[in-house]
Amino acid sequence: MTTPLSTEPFGQMPDGRVATLFTLENAHLRVRITDFGGRMVSIEAPDRDGRRDHILLGFDNVAAYSEYGGSFGTLLGRYANRIAGATFTLDGQPYQLSKNSGDATLHGGAVGFNRVFWSVATAEAEPAAMLALTHVSPDGDQGFPGEVTVRAIYQLDGDTLALTLEAETTKPTVINLSAHPYFNLGGTASGDVLGHEITVAADAFLPTDAAQIPTGEIRSVAGTPFDFRRPVLFGRWIRQPDPQLFHGLGYDHCFVLGMQGPNTLRRAVQVRDPVSGRVLQIHTDQPGVQVYTGNKLTGSFAGHGGIYRQSSGLALEPQDFPDAPHHPNFPSTSLQPGTIYRRIIRYQFTAG
């Protein structure tokens, strides 16, 4: 009999802190989440023959996430992706941020939301398995202004895992929340994702410089290796001699979905593995989605399914635009006191 919600120890950090693993399960999906980084540790979904397998890259204990984990499965904040120069100005006030990617801030800085323990706000088994995590980021955390209270709500809904991200601030600030699961729909032991078929509902993408900072241009995907408006095998263009693919060592770019308005969802991405028949559809109200082919996975460590090398998994990160504070033509990422930030990401898993 399926147990909708259960908990168990998930090992110990080098500093002695103990992590917890939460399992959300229904007839279709089994999802495991840890309070360290609010991470999705594993997702098990059926193939066309009904066989479940791990389709998320990850590790078996919290110590491995501490040593190797980086952004594996984690919640991203305060600001997903990059901010150039690790600085921004808001309402005439400059702010210096934590540098952790050359001269830039990446995913919130050296101690982003991936490195903190989240608290459990709510855990319910009925009417559907749900886990709500919360974290209070103090004023000045990694250089960002305002005390920000964040909630991440995971809920199973049939064949779908829904993630709702909410935040409030005590001072004007910038925010960009997302999640960073690496998917391999063939199963984590099946090899790379270059044979996956991808569709992205984006007419444009954000080119970057050599440091992977957006230039400010919003470029049409037409005639480029970034045109995924119709289904394309991932490996088809990834080795094309395009300057943008050199910058990212492969795909590591934000695709422009357009603002949908609060709580208005659209299908942003579809990925299909022809071998297993598994299909992932991502619906979101975020204006962009970062598509990253695991280009910096070097084969220096192993997780579920074996050694992780370049293209072992595909990260799909619905989000606001990277480096938006430096580009007035990008949608604003500022958050004011008294306003609630809210974004929704729905991961739907089918097979056929």
Short mmCIF file of all heavy atoms in Angstrom, two decimals, residues 43-76:
data_model
loop_
_atom_site.label_atom_id
_atom_site.label_comp_id
_atom_site.label_asym_id
_atom_site.label_seq_id
_atom_site.Cartn_x
_atom_site.Cartn_y
_atom_site.Cartn_z
N ILE A 43 13.23 11.47 -8.17
CA ILE A 43 11.87 11.33 -8.70
C ILE A 43 11.83 9.99 -9.41
O ILE A 43 12.68 9.70 -10.26
CB ILE A 43 11.50 12.46 -9.68
CG1 ILE A 43 11.48 13.81 -8.96
CG2 ILE A 43 10.14 12.20 -10.32
CD1 ILE A 43 11.22 15.00 -9.88
N GLU A 44 10.85 9.17 -9.06
CA GLU A 44 10.65 7.90 -9.75
C GLU A 44 9.32 7.97 -10.49
O GLU A 44 8.28 8.25 -9.90
CB GLU A 44 10.65 6.75 -8.75
CG GLU A 44 11.99 6.57 -8.05
CD GLU A 44 11.90 5.57 -6.92
OE1 GLU A 44 11.68 4.37 -7.20
OE2 GLU A 44 12.02 6.00 -5.75
N ALA A 45 9.39 7.73 -11.80
CA ALA A 45 8.21 7.81 -12.66
C ALA A 45 8.19 6.60 -13.59
O ALA A 45 9.24 6.07 -13.96
CB ALA A 45 8.24 9.11 -13.47
N PRO A 46 7.00 6.16 -14.01
CA PRO A 46 6.91 4.96 -14.85
C PRO A 46 7.24 5.22 -16.31
O PRO A 46 7.02 6.32 -16.83
CB PRO A 46 5.44 4.55 -14.69
CG PRO A 46 4.73 5.83 -14.40
CD PRO A 46 5.68 6.67 -13.61
N ASP A 47 7.76 4.18 -16.98
CA ASP A 47 7.95 4.24 -18.43
C ASP A 47 6.68 3.74 -19.12
O ASP A 47 5.64 3.55 -18.47
CB ASP A 47 9.19 3.44 -18.86
CG ASP A 47 9.07 1.94 -18.57
OD1 ASP A 47 7.97 1.46 -18.21
OD2 ASP A 47 10.09 1.23 -18.70
N ARG A 48 6.75 3.52 -20.44
CA ARG A 48 5.54 3.13 -21.17
C ARG A 48 5.02 1.77 -20.74
O ARG A 48 3.85 1.44 -20.98
CB ARG A 48 5.82 3.14 -22.68
CG ARG A 48 6.85 2.16 -23.14
CD ARG A 48 6.80 1.98 -24.66
NE ARG A 48 7.08 3.21 -25.37
CZ ARG A 48 8.29 3.61 -25.78
NH1 ARG A 48 9.36 2.84 -25.48
NH2 ARG A 48 8.46 4.71 -26.44
N ASP A 49 5.86 0.95 -20.09
CA ASP A 49 5.43 -0.36 -19.61
C ASP A 49 5.08 -0.35 -18.13
O ASP A 49 4.84 -1.41 -17.54
CB ASP A 49 6.52 -1.41 -19.87
CG ASP A 49 6.80 -1.59 -21.36
OD1 ASP A 49 5.82 -1.65 -22.13
OD2 ASP A 49 7.98 -1.64 -21.74
N GLY A 50 5.06 0.84 -17.54
CA GLY A 50 4.69 0.96 -16.14
C GLY A 50 5.82 0.75 -15.16
O GLY A 50 5.60 0.75 -13.94
N ARG A 51 7.05 0.58 -15.64
CA ARG A 51 8.19 0.36 -14.75
C ARG A 51 8.74 1.69 -14.25
O ARG A 51 9.10 2.56 -15.05
CB ARG A 51 9.29 -0.42 -15.48
CG ARG A 51 8.93 -1.86 -15.81
CD ARG A 51 10.15 -2.60 -16.35
NE ARG A 51 10.57 -2.03 -17.62
CZ ARG A 51 10.27 -2.54 -18.81
NH1 ARG A 51 9.53 -3.62 -18.89
NH2 ARG A 51 10.71 -1.96 -19.92
N ARG A 52 8.83 1.82 -12.94
CA ARG A 52 9.40 3.03 -12.35
C ARG A 52 10.92 2.98 -12.37
O ARG A 52 11.53 1.91 -12.24
CB ARG A 52 8.94 3.20 -10.90
CG ARG A 52 7.54 3.77 -10.72
CD ARG A 52 7.30 4.05 -9.24
NE ARG A 52 5.97 4.58 -8.99
CZ ARG A 52 5.55 4.92 -7.78
NH1 ARG A 52 6.34 4.77 -6.73
NH2 ARG A 52 4.33 5.41 -7.62
N ASP A 53 11.53 4.16 -12.51
CA ASP A 53 12.98 4.27 -12.43
C ASP A 53 13.31 5.67 -11.95
O ASP A 53 12.51 6.61 -12.07
CB ASP A 53 13.61 4.01 -13.81
CG ASP A 53 15.10 3.68 -13.71
OD1 ASP A 53 15.66 3.71 -12.59
OD2 ASP A 53 15.71 3.41 -14.77
N HIS A 54 14.52 5.81 -11.41
CA HIS A 54 15.01 7.13 -11.03
C HIS A 54 15.27 7.96 -12.30
O HIS A 54 16.00 7.53 -13.20
CB HIS A 54 16.32 7.01 -10.25
CG HIS A 54 16.15 6.50 -8.86
ND1 HIS A 54 15.62 7.25 -7.85
CD2 HIS A 54 16.43 5.29 -8.32
CE1 HIS A 54 15.60 6.54 -6.73
NE2 HIS A 54 16.07 5.35 -6.99
N ILE A 55 14.69 9.15 -12.35
CA ILE A 55 14.89 10.01 -13.52
C ILE A 55 15.51 11.35 -13.13
O ILE A 55 15.53 12.29 -13.94
CB ILE A 55 13.57 10.24 -14.27
CG1 ILE A 55 12.52 10.88 -13.36
CG2 ILE A 55 13.05 8.93 -14.87
CD1 ILE A 55 11.30 11.36 -14.12
N LEU A 56 16.05 11.42 -11.91
CA LEU A 56 16.65 12.65 -11.41
C LEU A 56 18.05 12.33 -10.91
O LEU A 56 18.23 11.42 -10.10
CB LEU A 56 15.80 13.22 -10.27
CG LEU A 56 15.96 14.69 -9.94
CD1 LEU A 56 15.40 15.55 -11.06
CD2 LEU A 56 15.25 15.00 -8.63
N LEU A 57 19.05 13.08 -11.39
CA LEU A 57 20.40 12.89 -10.87
C LEU A 57 20.44 13.34 -9.41
O LEU A 57 19.85 14.35 -9.04
CB LEU A 57 21.42 13.70 -11.67
CG LEU A 57 21.49 13.51 -13.19
CD1 LEU A 57 22.75 14.16 -13.74
CD2 LEU A 57 21.42 12.05 -13.59
N GLY A 58 21.15 12.58 -8.59
CA GLY A 58 21.23 12.94 -7.18
C GLY A 58 22.08 11.95 -6.41
O GLY A 58 22.74 11.08 -6.99
N PHE A 59 22.06 12.08 -5.08
CA PHE A 59 22.95 11.32 -4.21
C PHE A 59 22.17 10.66 -3.08
O PHE A 59 21.00 10.98 -2.83
CB PHE A 59 24.03 12.25 -3.64
CG PHE A 59 24.81 12.97 -4.71
CD1 PHE A 59 24.44 14.25 -5.10
CD2 PHE A 59 25.88 12.37 -5.35
CE1 PHE A 59 25.13 14.91 -6.10
CE2 PHE A 59 26.58 13.04 -6.34
CZ PHE A 59 26.20 14.30 -6.73
N ASP A 60 22.84 9.75 -2.37
CA ASP A 60 22.16 8.91 -1.39
C ASP A 60 22.21 9.44 0.03
O ASP A 60 21.60 8.86 0.92
CB ASP A 60 22.77 7.51 -1.41
CG ASP A 60 22.48 6.77 -2.72
OD1 ASP A 60 21.44 7.05 -3.33
OD2 ASP A 60 23.31 5.93 -3.11
N ASN A 61 22.95 10.54 0.28
CA ASN A 61 23.03 11.08 1.63
C ASN A 61 23.43 12.54 1.57
O ASN A 61 23.96 13.02 0.56
CB ASN A 61 24.00 10.28 2.50
CG ASN A 61 25.40 10.25 1.89
OD1 ASN A 61 26.10 11.25 1.91
ND2 ASN A 61 25.79 9.09 1.34
N VAL A 62 23.19 13.26 2.66
CA VAL A 62 23.42 14.70 2.67
C VAL A 62 24.89 15.05 2.60
O VAL A 62 25.27 16.10 2.06
CB VAL A 62 22.75 15.33 3.91
CG1 VAL A 62 23.53 15.00 5.18
CG2 VAL A 62 22.61 16.84 3.73
N ALA A 63 25.78 14.18 3.10
CA ALA A 63 27.21 14.46 3.04
C ALA A 63 27.68 14.57 1.58
O ALA A 63 28.52 15.41 1.25
CB ALA A 63 28.00 13.39 3.78
N ALA A 64 27.13 13.72 0.72
CA ALA A 64 27.50 13.78 -0.70
C ALA A 64 27.02 15.09 -1.32
O ALA A 64 27.73 15.70 -2.13
CB ALA A 64 26.92 12.59 -1.45
N TYR A 65 25.82 15.55 -0.94
CA TYR A 65 25.35 16.85 -1.45
C TYR A 65 26.24 17.98 -0.96
O TYR A 65 26.51 18.94 -1.69
CB TYR A 65 23.90 17.09 -1.03
CG TYR A 65 22.91 16.39 -1.90
CD1 TYR A 65 22.30 15.21 -1.48
CD2 TYR A 65 22.58 16.88 -3.17
CE1 TYR A 65 21.38 14.55 -2.29
CE2 TYR A 65 21.67 16.23 -3.97
CZ TYR A 65 21.07 15.06 -3.54
OH TYR A 65 20.17 14.41 -4.35
N SER A 66 26.69 17.90 0.27
CA SER A 66 27.56 18.93 0.81
C SER A 66 28.88 18.98 0.06
O SER A 66 29.41 20.06 -0.23
CB SER A 66 27.82 18.66 2.30
OG SER A 66 28.71 19.61 2.83
N GLU A 67 29.41 17.80 -0.31
CA GLU A 67 30.71 17.75 -0.97
C GLU A 67 30.62 17.99 -2.47
O GLU A 67 31.42 18.72 -3.04
CB GLU A 67 31.37 16.40 -0.70
CG GLU A 67 32.78 16.30 -1.27
CD GLU A 67 33.50 15.02 -0.87
OE1 GLU A 67 32.90 14.20 -0.14
OE2 GLU A 67 34.66 14.84 -1.29
N TYR A 68 29.64 17.36 -3.14
CA TYR A 68 29.57 17.39 -4.59
C TYR A 68 28.36 18.13 -5.14
O TYR A 68 28.31 18.47 -6.32
CB TYR A 68 29.48 15.95 -5.16
CG TYR A 68 30.52 15.00 -4.67
CD1 TYR A 68 30.15 13.81 -4.04
CD2 TYR A 68 31.88 15.26 -4.83
CE1 TYR A 68 31.10 12.91 -3.58
CE2 TYR A 68 32.82 14.36 -4.36
CZ TYR A 68 32.44 13.18 -3.74
OH TYR A 68 33.37 12.31 -3.29
N GLY A 69 27.37 18.33 -4.29
CA GLY A 69 26.02 18.60 -4.78
C GLY A 69 25.83 19.86 -5.57
O GLY A 69 24.98 19.91 -6.45
N GLY A 70 26.61 20.93 -5.26
CA GLY A 70 26.39 22.16 -6.00
C GLY A 70 24.92 22.50 -6.04
O GLY A 70 24.28 22.69 -5.02
N SER A 71 24.36 22.52 -7.25
CA SER A 71 22.95 22.87 -7.42
C SER A 71 22.06 21.67 -7.69
O SER A 71 20.90 21.83 -8.05
CB SER A 71 22.82 23.88 -8.57
OG SER A 71 23.53 25.07 -8.28
N PHE A 72 22.55 20.45 -7.50
CA PHE A 72 21.75 19.26 -7.80
C PHE A 72 20.42 19.30 -7.05
O PHE A 72 20.36 19.21 -5.83
CB PHE A 72 22.50 17.99 -7.41
CG PHE A 72 23.46 17.49 -8.44
CD1 PHE A 72 24.74 18.00 -8.50
CD2 PHE A 72 23.09 16.53 -9.35
CE1 PHE A 72 25.65 17.55 -9.45
CE2 PHE A 72 23.98 16.06 -10.31
CZ PHE A 72 25.27 16.58 -10.35
N GLY A 73 19.33 19.45 -7.80
CA GLY A 73 17.98 19.35 -7.26
C GLY A 73 17.55 20.48 -6.36
O GLY A 73 16.43 20.48 -5.85
N THR A 74 18.40 21.49 -6.14
CA THR A 74 18.17 22.44 -5.07
C THR A 74 17.19 23.55 -5.45
O THR A 74 16.96 23.82 -6.63
CB THR A 74 19.50 23.07 -4.63
OG1 THR A 74 19.33 23.73 -3.39
CG2 THR A 74 20.00 24.08 -5.65
N LEU A 75 16.66 24.20 -4.42
CA LEU A 75 15.98 25.47 -4.59
C LEU A 75 17.03 26.56 -4.78
O LEU A 75 18.08 26.53 -4.14
CB LEU A 75 15.10 25.78 -3.37
CG LEU A 75 13.97 24.79 -3.12
CD1 LEU A 75 13.30 25.08 -1.78
CD2 LEU A 75 12.94 24.82 -4.24
N LEU A 76 16.76 27.51 -5.66
CA LEU A 76 17.72 28.55 -6.00
C LEU A 76 17.25 29.90 -5.48
O LEU A 76 16.11 30.30 -5.69
CB LEU A 76 17.89 28.64 -7.52
CG LEU A 76 18.42 27.39 -8.23
CD1 LEU A 76 18.44 27.62 -9.74
CD2 LEU A 76 19.82 27.02 -7.73
#
